[in-house]
Amino acid sequence: MQNKAGTSKSVKKELVIESPRQYKDAATAAMEAELEAESHAAELAKPKLIEPIDYENVIVQKKTQILNDALRELLLFPYDDFQIATLRRQGRYICSTVPDNAEKEAQSLFVTECIKTYNSDWHVVTYKYEEYSGDFRQLPSKGTKPDKLPVHVYEVDEDADKDEDAASLGSQKGGVTKQGWLYKGNMNSAISVTMRSFKRRFFHLIQLGDGSYNLNFYKDEKISKEPKGSIFLDSCMGVVQNNRVRRFAFELKMQDKSSYLLAADSDAEMEEWISTLNKILQLNFEAAMQEKRNGESHEDDEQSKFDTSSSSIDSYLPEKSGRETEAKLKNESRVKLFALDSDSQKLDFSGIEPEIKPFEEKFGKRILVKCNELSFNLQCCVAENEEGPTTNVEPFFVTLSLFDIKANKKISADFPVDLNHASVRQMIPTTSQQLLNGSGDFGRRILGSVQESMLQYPKQGIFSVTCPHPDIFLVARIEKVLQGSITHCAEPYMKSSDSAKVAQKVLKNAKQACSRLGQYRMPFAWAARPLFKDTSGTLDKPARFSPIYKQDSNKLSNEDMLKLLADFRKPEKLGKLPVILGNLDIHIDNVSPDFPNYVNSSYIPMKQFENSPDTVVTFEVEEFVPYIPKHTQPFTIYNNHLYVYPKHLKYDGQKAFAKARNIAVSIEFRESDDEEAQPLRCIYGRPGGPVFVKNALAAVLHHQQNPEFYDEIKIELPTQLHEKHHLLFTFFHVSCDTSSKGGTKKKDVIESQVGFAWLPLLKDGRVVTNEQNVPVSANLPAGYLCYQEPGMGKQHSGPEIKWVDGGKPLLKVATHLVSTVYAQDQHLHNFFQYCQKTDSGAQALGSELVKYLKSLHAMEGHVMIAFLPTILNQMFRVLTRATQEEVAVNVTRVIIHVVSQCHEEGLESYLRSYVKYVYKAEPYVTSEYKTVHEELAKSMTAILKPSADFLTCNKLLKYSWFFFEVLIKSMAQHLVENSKVKLLRNQRFTASFHHAVETLVNMLMPHITHKFKDNPEASRNANHSLAFFIKRCFTFMDRGFVFKQINNYMSFFTPGDPKTLFEFKFEFLRVVCNHEHYIPLNLPMPFGKGRIQRYQDLQLDYTLTDEFCKNHFLVGLLLREVGNALQEFRDIRQIAISVLKSLMIKHSFDDRYSTRSQQARIATLYLPLFGLLIENVQRINVKDTSPFPVTQNNAKDEVLLNVAAGNPLVTPQKPGNTLDNNLHKDLFGVISGTASPHNSSTPNINSVRNADSRGSLISTDSGNSLPERNSDKSSSLDKNQHGGSLGNPLVRCDKLEQAEIKSLLMCFLHILKSMSDDALFTYWNKATTSELMDFFTISEVCLHQFQYMGKRYIARNQEGLGPIVHDRKSQTLPVSRNRTGMMHARLQQLSSLDNSLTFNHSKFCDDLSYQPPLPVPPQHWHVPKPIHITPGL
C-alpha cells in the first residue's frame, strides 16, 4: 500500500485527468484532492483550431483535377440539390370555401390576409437528397433486410446438450424437453391392441448429441437407469390422435409403416404431447433440408477455393491476371460487415422526426345521427278522402342539438329535421314569402354544386365532439304549429283512452291552425339521450331516447334544459315530469373516414358527392369548440356564421300597445337603416323552405307578456362588415282566436306590430358577441342607427324615436360568432388596424407600433392558435419593413411568445406545418424591403445579448428550431426567386448577412455553454437547432464560411468540460456530419503538388496532421475530437465512438456509394484512425473476451478496486521481472473490468512463461514504453508530419470497455476491408517497425474479440449464469462431419498463421537486421466463410 501511495504522489502532471471512479476511502479521497490541485496547476490547454480550406476557391482551382477524376461524384455537390415548389392545396370540398367575390369585397387588412391564407397553395422547399441527411437507420436502402449468414454447426457446439430450437420447447438442463406418465399399447400383439394391453410407463423425451430425439420409456421415474425401450423420432413420420381403442390416445406413425400407440390421462395432456412431438418432427425436417442445402453449397465452395488456392499468392502482385482474380474475389456478394453489427440492427426512433403534414380540418369524435320517425299515439289519416297512410294528425318539427352538463352549455348548433309524412306537410300552405325567387347571393355558390331540392328535408346529420364524456346529451326539441297553450295542445296526446274521436277533433283544429298560422311555431315537447359511455368516445348505441316530456312553458331556455339534464339519471326527479305518449326513433353510429355525400355547415359539398335527386344528403352540424388553446386548431377554410339567440322580452310594463301577449319575434339582417332598405337574404331557412331566407321567426308562447325564447337563428355574414350592418328585431302580436264570430275584417288580422329593436353588429371594429340588453322602440324612423343617447344637459342626436317603457333595455339577446375571418380579440384587431393605416408598419411611428406589438402579448391563446398562419405572416411582413431595431426586436419577441404558447399547449406540430408549407418570403425589393433571414438573424442576436430580457432569451433558446427553420426557408426562397442560385457561393448573400450569421453563432454559444446547468432543456435544444442550421447552410452558402462557423462553435469547448458539454459537442458533430453531401464536403482527393506518377507517392495521411485536418475539415475535426474523447471518461468515450461508428455505418449502407472503388476512396478519409488506434493500442489490447464484468458488490472485488483506485491512469513502467509484469496485468485487468478477479489473486506460472509481451494489459516491455514509442512515431510514415495524431501529451492507460473496443475494431475492420491494396501497401512500407507491430496487434485483438464462443456460452451469458470452461475446439470453423482432409488442413493453416503473428516483440526489436516479410493484405486472408460474428457484437 505504501508503494502504491508513493507511486500516486510521483504522477506526472501531464497525466492528471479526473478519475471516473468515486473513492470511498478517506486516504483515496485525499489523493483525489491532491491530484485535483495539480490539475489546476497545469490547466489543460485548448487544442489549437485548424483553419479550414477556402472550399469555394479550392474547387475552382482544382476544377480540372476534379472533373477528370473517375469518382468526381464524390467530390461535387449535385446541381439539382434543392428547389422550391408550389403544391396545390388539397381540401375536402368540390369547390373553394371562399366566396368568389370575397377578395374584392374585403377591405379590412385582417379579412384580406385571412382570405389569402385560405386561398393560397403550399410553398415547400424540397431537398432531393434529404433522405440521406439523417442517421444510417433512415437511409432509403436501410429498409431492405440484409442477407442472412448461412447456418453452420460449429465444433464448439457439438457437445452442447441442447440447441436453439430445442430450447424453445422448454429445454433447460440435460436436453430434457418433456417427461411424464403415459399408457403404452402392446406393440407385439399380432391381432389388435385392446384396453387390457396398455401398460403404464414413464416416458422421457431427450435430445442426443447429434441433434436427434429419442422417446425413452421406463417402469418408474428413475430415468438414470437403462430405459425399457426407445422410440427413435428420426424415423417417425407423424403423430395423430387415435381414440378407437382408448380415450386420450395418440399414434406415432413410423417410416416402416409400423406405429406406436400411446395414451394420456387427460385430453389436455394428450394435446400437449402431440403438440410437442409434432414440433420436434418439424424441426427435424427443417434441419435435414438445411443440411442438404449446406452440404451441396459447401462442397462447391470448398472445391472452388481449393482450385484457386494454389495461385492465391499470385493475386497479391499488381499484375493484370492477378488483378482480375482479385477483382473476382472482391466482387463476391458478401454481407456488409456492419450489417452483422448489433448496433446497426437496433431500432432507434429518437432521431426520426415526425411526419409533417399540411394544415387540414380536424374534427373531434364524429357521430352520425339518422332521424327515422317521430310518431305519437294519437294518429289517423289526414287526407280529405281518408285514403292514405295513418300518420300523426298534425305536423311536428324536431330540432336536435348537443348539451354538455359538465361545461354547462350547448356545444353544437341546431340541426332542424322535418320527419312529417308528405300528406301531413301539405297541411301547411306554401306562403308567397317562401316562394320568393332564388336564395340570394349567399346561395349561388352552393347551388352551383348541389340542387336546392336535395337540401330541403335533412334527415341525417354529423355531429362532432372534441371532448367526449358520458355527460353529453343529444336533445330533441319538438315544436308544432301555433295553436294555443302548451298544456291545452298536449292534453289529447297524454291520454291512452280510445283515440279515434280525439284524433279527428285534433285533426280538425290542426288543419284550421295550419291554414291560418302555418308559419308560426310553438314549443311542445322534448326528449334526450346520452351519447357516450366513456371519455374515449365510445358511443352508447344501446341507449334510447327518454320518454317524450311535455315542454314546461316556464322552463324553455337552454339554462333550464341543462338543469333538467342534470337530473336525467335521477328517476325520482324525471318521474314527476308529464309524459306525452309517443316514440322518437333516432339512430346514432360512428362515421367512417370515407363516408360519402355530405355537406359542411355552409352547405358546401364534399368531393365524394353524388349530385342526383336520389342522393341522401348528410349535413355536418357546427360544433361550438371550447375556447381552450389545446382544443383549437388553425383555421384552414372560409367560414363566417353568426348565431343569434333571442332570450327574453320583458313586456309586462309597456303601455304603447293595447294587445301584446302572443308575441312573435322576427329577426332580419340589414346593411342599411334607410326607409327603403330591405333585409339581406342570408338567414338559413327551415326544412322544406328555401336554403336562405330574409327573416326568421322564433317560437311563440301563448298568452305570455314576458316570453322566453330558445330559438337559434343562423346567419351567413357578408365577407366585409361595416358600421351599418345590424340585426333588426320586429315584434308581432299574433291572434290565436279562431272563433267564427265577428266580421271578416277581424279574422284577417293575424299579426300586428308591437315594437322594434336593433343591434349594430360592430363595436370598436369587432363583432358584438355574448349577451346584450337592448331597448325596444314603438316606431322605426329612417336613420334609426344614428340615434345617440343625450349627454349631460344635451339633446339627443338622430331621429325622433318613441321608446317602449321609457327606453328600458327590454330585450335580452345573445350572439355567437363562428368565423375564420373575424377575430374577437381586441389587441389583434388594433394591431392589424394600425398596420393597415401605416402600410404594414413601413410608415409607422416606431413608438406607436411597438406599443401595439407589446399589447399582442395579451392576445387570447385560442385566437392566436386559430389565426396562427395569418398572424405569423403579418409578423414577418412587419419585420422586413421595420426601419428601427426596436420594432424588429419587438416583432421577434411577439413571434417568440406565439411559438412558446404553441409549445406549452403541445401544439408544436402546427408550427412545423407553418414553416414547411405556409411560410413564404415576400418578393425582395432591394430599395424597399429587407430579407427575413437577415433581419431575423439580427433581431435574434439582439435578444441574446446579456442585457436583454432573460425570460424571452430562454424561450428563444428553447424553441430556436422554429427561427432557424424560417432562416433556412427564407434563404432558399431568396436564392431561387431572385436567381441568385446561379451565382458563385461567395456571391449569393450579402456581406452583412454573413456578418449577421457569424455574430449570431458567437452570441448563441455562451448561452449554450453556460446555461446547461440552470436551463438544460433550452441549452440542448439551442445546440441541436444550431447544428441543424449549420448543416443546412452547406446547401446554400459559401462552404468555407460555414467551416469557419463550425470552428467558432468548437472554440467554446475545452478538454476539461463537464459531460453535458461533451454531449452537446458530439451531438453537433453528429448532426453536421450527417449532411447528405458529407463526402464531397471532405474532398476525398489527393492534395499533393505536381503530377503523381505512382500510388506510393500519394500523400495519404495515416495520422491526424494539420494538413489533413485542413484539407478534409469535417472528418479531420471529428477524428481529432474522438481522439481527445478517448482520453476522457467512459460515458464521453462511448458518445464519441458512437458518433464515429454511426457515420461509418452510414457510408457502408449508402446506396450512392455502393461500388468498391467508392468505398475505397471514402476509406482514405478515415486512414488516420489507424494512428489514433495505435496511440491507444495498449488500451484496446484486451484478449479476454469474457463478457462477464467484475461484480462491484463482491467483497473481494471491492478490496481489489480500492487497492487499485489510486490512479487508473498510470505512467508506463520500465521493464521489471516477468512475474511482476503479470501481476500488473492481472491487477489492471481487474481495475478495468476486463479480467476475471477469480484468476487474479495468484499468478499462473505457465501463462507468465508463455505470455505474449504485447498482450499484457499495460505496456511493460523493453523498449516499448509510451514516451519512447511516441518519439519513434514522430519520425514515422512521413518526415514532414509533425507530432502524433492529436498532439496531446496526455495518454490514458486504463483499458477501454468491451463495447468500446468492439466498436473501434469494427471501424478498423471496415476501413481495412474497404481500402485499396495500394493504400495498405503504402502504409506498410512507410510505417515504423513498432507501428507495424501495433497494427498486427490490433488485428490479432480482432480475432480474439470476435471469436465465436458457442451457443451454450451465449445462452449462459444471457441468463447471467457466468462463464464456463470448454475444451480447445475450433470456435470459428464449421464442424467437419464426413469431411476431414481439406478442412483440417485449413485449421492447421490458420493455426500456423496465428503463431506467426504472436512472436515475442522484444526479441523482434533487438534484432535490428531483421526485416519483416511483406504481409498479406486482409482481402486475401483465407478465413473460411462465414466469419461468425459474436451475437453480442
Side-chain angles (χ1 to χ4, degrees), residues 837-1039:
K837 286 179 188 173
T838 60
D839 187 23
S840 286
Q843 303 153 7
L845 293 169
S847 57
E848 279 288 303
L849 186 52
V850 166
K851 181 181 77 175
Y852 286 112
L853 283 167
K854 286 182 175 178
S855 73
L856 288 179
H857 289 269
M859 180 172 34
E860 289 182 273
H862 69 93
V863 175
M864 184 192 302
I865 304 298
F867 294 100
L868 183 71
T870 306
I871 293 170
L872 289 175
N873 286 343
Q874 184 64 19
M875 287 297 138
F876 289 119
R877 190 176 296 111
V878 174
L879 182 67
T880 56
R881 302 182 184 189
T883 54
Q884 301 173 20
E885 183 187 354
E886 188 185 10
V887 173
V889 168
N890 274 281
V891 168
T892 310
R893 284 173 180 272
V894 173
I895 299 173
I896 291 169
H897 173 66
V898 171
V899 170
S900 168
Q901 286 286 102
C902 288
H903 277 85
E904 285 168 14
E905 296 294 343
L907 304 176
E908 175 194 348
S909 60
Y910 294 153
L911 294 170
R912 295 198 181 275
S913 297
Y914 171 80
V915 176
K916 182 167 184 177
Y917 294 101
V918 179
Y919 172 77
K920 172 78 166 64
E922 286 209 317
Y924 174 65
V925 184
T926 313
S927 57
E928 294 181 29
Y929 310 131
K930 305 155 195 169
T931 57
V932 167
H933 48 270
E934 185 168 344
E935 293 309 303
L936 188 58
K938 288 177 180 176
S939 58
M940 287 169 69
T941 305
I943 289 171
L944 290 170
K945 286 179 181 175
S947 57
D949 173 23
F950 77 96
L951 288 175
T952 307
C953 177
N954 285 345
K955 286 179 182 176
L956 175 58
L957 293 171
K958 193 172 181 180
Y959 310 122
S960 52
W961 71 266
F962 176 83
F963 300 90
F964 283 122
E965 290 271 13
V966 171
L967 286 177
I968 290 164
K969 191 171 183 182
S970 176
M971 290 162 67
Q973 291 174 338
H974 172 73
L975 290 181
V976 175
E977 290 177 355
N978 297 291
S979 301
K980 297 204 170 190
V981 74
K982 298 173 184 175
L983 299 177
L984 294 174
R985 293 277 190 128
N986 47 19
Q987 298 172 8
R988 289 180 176 181
F989 295 98
T990 61
S992 60
F993 178 61
H994 282 93
H995 176 71
V997 170
E998 188 163 7
T999 311
L1000 178 59
V1001 172
N1002 290 332
M1003 194 62 73
L1004 186 63
M1005 282 311 298
H1007 290 281
I1008 293 173
T1009 54
H1010 295 150
K1011 290 187 176 180
F1012 70 93
K1013 284 184 180 176
D1014 299 332
N1015 204 339
E1017 186 183 4
S1019 299
R1020 192 176 298 279
N1021 291 356
N1023 183 69
H1024 181 81
S1025 305
L1026 177 62
F1028 188 84
F1029 172 68
I1030 294 288
K1031 178 175 86 167
R1032 198 42 75 202
C1033 282
F1034 281 125
T1035 307
F1036 308 123
M1037 298 184 77
D1038 180 331
R1039 287 160 284 199

Side-chain angles (χ1 to χ4, degrees), residues 63 205 215 275 520 720 777 793 803 918 1007 1014 1051 1133 1288:
K63 185 177 181 182
L205 180 63
L215 188 57
S275 171
Y520 295 104
Q720 184 62 56
S777 163
W803 295 111
V918 179
H1007 290 281
D1014 299 332
S1051 68
R1133 295 197 305 261
N1288 189 350

Side-chain angles (χ1 to χ4, degrees), residues 52 115 218 238 278 284-285 368 410 611 673 675 692 700 705 731 778 876 1033 1043 1111 1213:
I115 290 171
Y218 305 82
N278 275 325
N284 284 347
F285 174 75
L368 175 65
K410 184 168 177 269
N611 199 348
D673 58 354
E675 199 168 348
F692 288 102
V700 179
Q705 289 183 313
F731 303 101
F876 289 119
C1033 282
F1043 285 154
N1111 295 332
Q1213 302 294 313

